[in-house]
mmCIF file of all heavy atoms in Angstrom:
data_model
loop_
_atom_site.group_PDB
_atom_site.id
_atom_site.type_symbol
_atom_site.label_atom_id
_atom_site.label_comp_id
_atom_site.label_asym_id
_atom_site.label_seq_id
_atom_site.Cartn_x
_atom_site.Cartn_y
_atom_site.Cartn_z
ATOM 1 N N CYS B 79 24.167 2.799 30.663
ATOM 2 C CA CYS B 79 23.843 2.398 29.287
ATOM 3 C C CYS B 79 25.066 2.218 28.397
ATOM 4 O O CYS B 79 24.993 1.549 27.383
ATOM 5 C CB CYS B 79 22.876 3.396 28.657
ATOM 6 S SG CYS B 79 23.632 4.980 28.226
ATOM 7 N N ARG B 80 26.161 2.840 28.727
ATOM 8 C CA ARG B 80 27.434 2.756 27.987
ATOM 9 C C ARG B 80 27.370 3.367 26.582
ATOM 10 O O ARG B 80 28.196 3.052 25.727
ATOM 11 C CB ARG B 80 27.963 1.322 27.871
ATOM 12 C CG ARG B 80 27.913 0.513 29.127
ATOM 13 C CD ARG B 80 28.441 1.229 30.309
ATOM 14 N NE ARG B 80 29.861 1.046 30.583
ATOM 15 C CZ ARG B 80 30.467 1.578 31.646
ATOM 16 N NH1 ARG B 80 29.787 2.303 32.509
ATOM 17 N NH2 ARG B 80 31.746 1.387 31.841
ATOM 18 N N LEU B 81 26.394 4.211 26.330
ATOM 19 C CA LEU B 81 26.337 4.823 24.999
ATOM 20 C C LEU B 81 27.253 6.017 24.877
ATOM 21 O O LEU B 81 27.638 6.409 23.796
ATOM 22 C CB LEU B 81 24.898 5.217 24.659
ATOM 23 C CG LEU B 81 24.171 4.039 24.032
ATOM 24 C CD1 LEU B 81 22.690 4.235 24.100
ATOM 25 C CD2 LEU B 81 24.622 3.831 22.598
ATOM 26 N N CYS B 82 27.605 6.610 26.037
ATOM 27 C CA CYS B 82 28.423 7.821 25.993
ATOM 28 C C CYS B 82 29.912 7.508 26.032
ATOM 29 O O CYS B 82 30.720 8.395 26.262
ATOM 30 C CB CYS B 82 28.040 8.732 27.145
ATOM 31 S SG CYS B 82 28.498 8.041 28.737
ATOM 32 N N LEU B 83 30.276 6.242 25.822
ATOM 33 C CA LEU B 83 31.698 5.867 25.867
ATOM 34 C C LEU B 83 32.540 6.758 24.956
ATOM 35 O O LEU B 83 32.130 7.078 23.844
ATOM 36 C CB LEU B 83 31.882 4.408 25.441
ATOM 37 C CG LEU B 83 31.385 3.328 26.405
ATOM 38 C CD1 LEU B 83 31.617 1.952 25.796
ATOM 39 C CD2 LEU B 83 32.065 3.432 27.759
ATOM 40 N N VAL B 84 33.727 7.142 25.457
ATOM 41 C CA VAL B 84 34.665 7.929 24.656
ATOM 42 C C VAL B 84 36.062 7.325 24.807
ATOM 43 O O VAL B 84 36.299 6.499 25.691
ATOM 44 C CB VAL B 84 34.704 9.415 25.090
ATOM 45 C CG1 VAL B 84 33.387 10.104 24.794
ATOM 46 C CG2 VAL B 84 35.066 9.553 26.565
ATOM 47 N N GLU B 85 36.959 7.743 23.922
ATOM 48 C CA GLU B 85 38.349 7.292 24.034
ATOM 49 C C GLU B 85 39.159 8.375 24.720
ATOM 50 O O GLU B 85 39.059 9.552 24.371
ATOM 51 C CB GLU B 85 38.947 7.054 22.640
ATOM 52 C CG GLU B 85 38.523 5.745 22.022
ATOM 53 C CD GLU B 85 39.158 5.511 20.651
ATOM 54 O OE1 GLU B 85 40.246 6.074 20.373
ATOM 55 O OE2 GLU B 85 38.556 4.774 19.860
ATOM 56 N N VAL B 86 39.957 7.973 25.698
ATOM 57 C CA VAL B 86 40.865 8.917 26.354
ATOM 58 C C VAL B 86 42.277 8.417 26.106
ATOM 59 O O VAL B 86 42.579 7.250 26.346
ATOM 60 C CB VAL B 86 40.580 8.989 27.874
ATOM 61 C CG1 VAL B 86 41.639 9.840 28.570
ATOM 62 C CG2 VAL B 86 39.196 9.565 28.130
ATOM 63 N N LYS B 87 43.117 9.301 25.583
ATOM 64 C CA LYS B 87 44.477 8.887 25.228
ATOM 65 C C LYS B 87 45.206 8.360 26.468
ATOM 66 O O LYS B 87 45.171 8.977 27.532
ATOM 67 C CB LYS B 87 45.247 10.073 24.642
ATOM 68 C CG LYS B 87 46.507 9.631 23.951
ATOM 69 C CD LYS B 87 47.138 10.764 23.183
ATOM 70 C CE LYS B 87 48.460 10.291 22.596
ATOM 71 N NZ LYS B 87 49.257 11.438 22.174
ATOM 72 N N GLY B 88 45.796 7.214 26.313
ATOM 73 C CA GLY B 88 46.544 6.629 27.421
ATOM 74 C C GLY B 88 45.733 5.648 28.246
ATOM 75 O O GLY B 88 46.290 4.857 28.993
ATOM 76 N N ALA B 89 44.397 5.682 28.117
ATOM 77 C CA ALA B 89 43.560 4.739 28.868
ATOM 78 C C ALA B 89 43.355 3.498 28.012
ATOM 79 O O ALA B 89 43.081 3.602 26.827
ATOM 80 C CB ALA B 89 42.223 5.371 29.218
ATOM 81 N N SER B 90 43.493 2.338 28.617
ATOM 82 C CA SER B 90 43.377 1.122 27.808
ATOM 83 C C SER B 90 41.927 0.806 27.481
ATOM 84 O O SER B 90 41.624 0.169 26.491
ATOM 85 C CB SER B 90 44.022 -0.053 28.540
ATOM 86 O OG SER B 90 43.390 -0.216 29.790
#
Side-chain angles (χ1 to χ4, degrees):
Chain B
C79 73
R80 315 313 269 183
L81 273 162
C82 68
L83 289 178
V84 293
E85 281 181 25
V86 173
K87 194 171 176 196
S90 58

